[in-house]
Amino acid sequence: MLKSAISFGTTLILLCYVSVIHADQIQLRDYCPPGFEKQQNQCKLRSLYQMYSSLQGQGVGGLKTALPSYRDGFSPEQIDLGRYLFFDPLLSKNRDMACSSCHQTTKGFSDGLPRSIGANGEELSRAAPSLWNVAFLKSFFWDGHAHSLEEQMQGPLFSEKEMANTPENLMKNLRANKEYKRLFKQAFPTSKQIELNDVYLSLAAFESSLISLNSRYDQYAHGFHEALNDKEVQGLNIFRSFVARCAECHTPPLFTNQQIAVIGAPDPDGLSFDPGAQIPLNDPLFRGGFKVPSLRNINRTAPYMHSGKFSTLGEVAAFYTGGRGHAVPEGEKLYLHWHIWEPNLSDEELDRIVDFLQTLTDESFMPQIPEQVPSGLKAVYDY
């Protein structure tokens, strides 16, 4: 009798243990992130900006301007798998870096550094750009040399200076992990095993869910004029004016026209001149040219410019009113964008522009940071 009781008790303990283990297993979400509607297991973007056509809001910086084309239609499971991959250091060679190392949630999905730090503790050549609203972008990196999120992510994943991994090692580590094998099967039920393209697509799915379109500016643009105070409205009007001309490149609603622009921004002291887009385009007309960045959540992503030269938004605004070509290094002949001229804005006007830029902050769709990642390693959070 005692023996049977012990046997029953042991069995009960084992059953409870198995139950706990099962309960702790990571389960991919079967629902879409905020801002998306689930249709036939695809997450479709929903935004008030979809009500507008490109003909509406014409003029410099029109408020009711339509969104450009964008990526959506990923499954909830693919998006959620990408979320786990994004924070997992298993994706790096030394298992100490993740995508979130350089794209931190509290810093506008940048890293708060003038130039990012790579795998060997070395400073990289450029700053980490924000990932908010990358679903709308047509090119990636400061010089625009990548043309899809899948192409972009292979740069940091496999660069010896960044995450330093290789495709072979990445596949080996993921395929050896039971949790990832189970989760990839949920997200890609027709795949026989984990494939590189599934990794790329999952990360692209997650990054495409990082939507920021509900700032106080957006509320104002959609008709709630009390969302901005008088100084902020003044800043908006200066921003849109034919004097400042900010909106001609930083075009709503994304606050970028997605073009390469040569503006003559200086590099930090001690660094050689960065030729920028001249290299991938093989065109001297674009020497010193860089992508026009979005201004969404701009107050979270200091320092600014491709090299992190400017510490504050006030410094950036002052640069633009400093006169055409005033910061171009001696001996460099640059073909400056024709919008870069001499607006001669007053200090008060510059302050109003900065006031307005603060209204572009919206992190209401911030994704949840996973408490654990499938590899069992420590998830990489903000430093």
Side-chain angles (χ1 to χ4, degrees):
M1 184 72 158
L2 179 61
K3 193 178 207 179
S4 298
I6 292 173
S7 175
F8 174 77
T10 303
T11 302
L12 183 61
I13 290 171
L14 286 173
L15 286 172
C16 290
Y17 178 74
V18 170
S19 177
V20 168
I21 291 296
H22 179 73
D24 285 346
Q25 278 188 333
I26 292 172
Q27 301 297 325
L28 296 181
R29 295 169 175 171
D30 60 359
Y31 54 91
C32 295
F36 291 82
E37 180 182 16
K38 186 176 178 181
Q39 294 183 358
Q40 298 180 338
N41 208 40
Q42 292 185 339
C43 296
K44 296 292 188 177
L45 178 67
R46 292 294 176 260
S47 168
L48 288 176
Y49 282 107
Q50 292 168 319
M51 299 188 305
Y52 310 137
S53 72
S54 58
L55 295 178
Q56 291 175 310
Q58 284 185 335
V60 179
L63 302 184
K64 291 179 170 58
T65 304
L67 293 166
S69 59
Y70 51 86
R71 293 190 67 179
D72 66 358
F74 302 100
S75 74
E77 293 82 4
Q78 290 167 348
I79 294 172
D80 207 35
L81 175 57
R83 181 172 66 96
Y84 285 106
L85 289 167
F86 187 85
F87 292 95
D88 199 330
L90 186 67
L91 271 64
S92 64
K93 177 184 178 181
N94 297 327
R95 303 189 178 198
D96 59 355
M97 293 184 69
C99 304
S100 55
S101 297
C102 293
H103 299 285
Q104 301 173 20
T105 56
T106 60
K107 299 181 177 69
F109 283 97
S110 60
D111 60 11
L113 299 174
R115 289 164 303 287
S116 297
I117 303 298
N120 301 314
E122 297 179 9
E123 193 174 56
L124 303 178
S125 60
R126 294 172 186 160
S130 171
L131 296 182
W132 284 113
N133 291 334
V134 291
F136 302 97
L137 299 187
K138 300 172 184 174
S139 64
F140 303 87
F141 292 107
W142 278 101
D143 59 11
H145 72 263
H147 299 285
S148 70
L149 282 168
E150 288 86 345
E151 182 184 359
Q152 177 277 325
M153 67 186 64
Q154 295 176 56
L157 279 173
F158 306 132
S159 167
E160 292 183 1
K161 295 182 178 180
E162 297 191 49
M163 297 173 74
N165 214 337
T166 64
E168 296 76 19
N169 189 60
L170 177 59
M171 285 296 93
K172 175 185 174 183
N173 290 337
L174 288 174
R175 289 170 179 171
N177 183 278
K178 291 183 179 179
E179 276 290 272
Y180 269 124
K181 288 172 68 175
R182 180 177 63 83
L183 296 176
F184 268 88
K185 194 63 179 176
Q186 289 182 32
F188 300 95
T190 61
S191 295
K192 295 181 179 179
Q193 63 177 345
I194 300 173
E195 301 291 349
L196 262 178
N197 286 338
D198 296 340
V199 177
Y200 301 153
L201 190 143
S202 298
L203 285 168
F206 169 68
E207 292 173 3
S208 295
S209 74
L210 303 177
I211 302 299
S212 178
L213 293 173
N214 193 33
S215 66
R216 288 195 295 118
Y217 160 79
D218 297 300
Q219 296 166 28
Y220 181 89
H222 295 317
F224 179 57
H225 290 172
E226 289 77 11
L228 303 186
N229 63 38
D230 289 344
K231 288 184 177 180
E232 292 163 347
V233 172
Q234 291 172 28
L236 168 60
N237 290 333
I238 296 168
F239 185 91
R240 296 180 59 199
S241 71
F242 282 103
V243 177
R245 309 179 81 158
C246 308
E248 294 186 17
C249 289
H250 296 286
T251 310
L254 295 187
F255 287 87
T256 173
N257 60 7
Q258 306 203 48
Q259 296 178 6
I260 299 291
V262 182
I263 64 173
D267 287 290
D269 295 340
L271 292 186
S272 58
F273 182 79
D274 189 334
Q278 177 188 10
I279 302 303
L281 295 178
N282 192 29
D283 188 342
L285 290 175
F286 289 95
R287 181 168 179 78
F290 297 94
K291 273 186 58 181
V292 175
S294 171
L295 301 182
R296 293 281 179 171
N297 295 310
I298 192 69
N299 68 343
R300 298 286 195 265
T301 60
Y304 303 106
M305 301 296 184
H306 66 279
S307 62
K309 170 66 175 179
F310 299 128
S311 299
T312 67
L313 289 172
E315 291 178 17
V316 176
F319 162 76
Y320 281 105
T321 199
R324 183 175 176 83
H326 72 278
V328 175
E330 186 176 350
E332 284 288 345
K333 181 182 178 182
L334 302 183
Y335 297 91
L336 296 180
H337 196 289
W338 67 279
H339 288 169
I340 303 299
W341 65 313
E342 298 182 12
N344 296 318
L345 300 178
S346 67
D347 289 344
E348 183 178 357
E349 288 172 318
L350 294 177
D351 288 343
R352 296 295 78 77
I353 289 177
V354 172
D355 288 339
F356 167 65
L357 293 177
Q358 309 286 342
T359 73
L360 298 177
T361 302
D362 165 41
E363 298 174 320
S364 55
F365 291 170
M366 179 69 73
Q368 182 181 3
I369 300 174
E371 296 181 2
Q372 59 179 341
V373 288
S375 67
L377 299 171
K378 185 178 179 180
V380 177
Y381 302 142
D382 299 355
Y383 296 122

